Amino acid sequence: MSAPARLPARRTKGGRPTSTKPSLRVERDLQRQGFRVLAGMDEVGRGALAGPVSVGVVVVDETVRSAPQGVRDSKLMTAAAREQIVPRLRRWAVASAVGHASATEIDEIGIMAALRLAGCRALAALDVVPDLVILDGNHDWLTAPEEVGLFAELSEGPATPPVTTMIKADLACSSVAAASVLAKVERDTQMVALAQEHPQYGWAENKGYSATAHMDALAAHGPCVLHRRSWSLPGVGHDDQVPAPDPEQVSS
């Protein structure tokens, strides 16, 4: 269940914050409400056709000062800028981690359950338990569903902390923006390494997303073990597949 945290009003234009520079304003407001140790969390790879879905988490408390200069939502930073800022983000945060759920797990339990699995793995890697998790978006995919079976068997660690959601939190909250950068850099690094084992798909450039070259390679060669075979992919002839994202989708 999401926590009844009150989020501060933000100036917006067209549904987006008027500034793309995040701050700790939201985190400070939540700390005044009693949530002293906060975790910003964001995912990358949800819309990819291959590789894991990855979730970053960055913990801050009242002692943490403004984030390192230049941190933004990962999609607004160059690859070089993201990689350069990672050590500074690690030193800045009270704690941080990235969790992953594999393509096989996505096929077995679905993308939303895999998001939670990756998020729980990230939380389990921390040496501190947050009082509240700030999730980007308007859907709480982290809180445990009232389900049993395969997903319950895959769950790791204790119950998740309370969650509050915020649309465009990656643009407004330094902790969430930092989490998106850590997740993006770690997942991209994995995909570049995996590209050496499967060079035909161009993962070093497209990171497993539905770029034209990736779609063409799938049509020509079919999928490998790292593709999400439950999705509607070229070269896979299943009738019950989930539709693949639009080829023009921007990677996250």
Side-chain angles (χ1 to χ4, degrees):
M1 180 183 302
S2 296
R6 299 187 307 276
L7 297 173
R10 298 171 297 145
R11 292 177 296 173
T12 62
K13 181 177 181 180
R16 300 174 67 87
T18 54
S19 173
T20 56
K21 182 179 180 181
S23 72
L24 289 173
R25 178 171 175 251
V26 171
E27 289 90 336
R28 296 297 186 230
D29 186 81
L30 291 170
Q31 286 166 343
R32 286 191 289 270
Q33 296 178 44
F35 303 103
R36 188 180 69 84
V37 181
L38 294 168
M41 183 174 281
D42 202 8
E43 57 81 17
V44 298
R46 184 192 306 209
L49 307 182
V53 63
S54 305
V55 174
V57 60
V58 166
V59 178
V60 299
D61 62 15
E62 301 103 318
T63 68
V64 170
R65 298 187 179 276
S66 298
Q69 185 175 5
V71 66
R72 298 283 192 279
D73 168 24
S74 63
K75 295 185 291 295
L76 302 179
M77 301 174 65
T78 65
R82 289 192 297 263
E83 293 171 4
Q84 185 176 24
I85 206 171
V86 163
R88 295 163 59 198
L89 292 178
R90 296 283 191 187
R91 292 191 298 267
W92 168 73
V94 170
S96 62
V98 179
H100 309 276
S102 69
T104 298
E105 289 170 328
I106 293 169
D107 287 341
E108 289 178 351
I109 62 179
I111 186 61
M112 300 311 292
L115 277 171
R116 178 176 183 263
L117 184 59
C120 288
R121 286 171 173 163
L123 289 170
L126 299 173
D127 56 5
V128 61
V129 178
D131 297 323
L132 182 71
V133 174
I134 307 170
L135 275 187
D136 181 43
N138 60 4
H139 174 63
D140 177 6
W141 44 259
L142 180 65
T143 302
E146 297 178 357
E147 297 177 0
V148 295
L150 176 60
F151 179 67
E153 294 172 4
L154 288 171
S155 296
E156 300 178 1
T160 55
V163 169
T164 190
T165 60
M166 181 178 185
I167 296 174
K168 302 301 179 184
D170 51 358
L171 296 180
C173 304
S174 292
S175 62
V176 179
S180 76
V181 172
L182 296 185
K184 177 69 172 168
V185 170
E186 189 160 316
R187 185 183 184 278
D188 282 2
T189 299
Q190 289 187 14
M191 295 307 296
V192 170
L194 292 170
Q196 299 179 33
E197 302 173 17
H198 305 275
Q200 65 270 36
Y201 302 110
W203 290 343
E205 291 76 34
N206 62 56
K207 309 304 188 293
Y209 286 90
S210 52
T212 300
H214 190 187
M215 300 292 278
D216 290 346
L218 272 166
H221 304 286
C224 70
V225 295
L226 298 174
H227 280 97
R228 302 173 187 180
R229 291 170 176 260
S230 59
W231 293 28
S232 181
L233 305 177
V236 180
H238 299 310
D239 295 332
D240 57 350
Q241 292 177 313
V242 177
D246 189 312
E248 299 302 319
Q249 176 181 345
V250 177
S251 63
S252 63

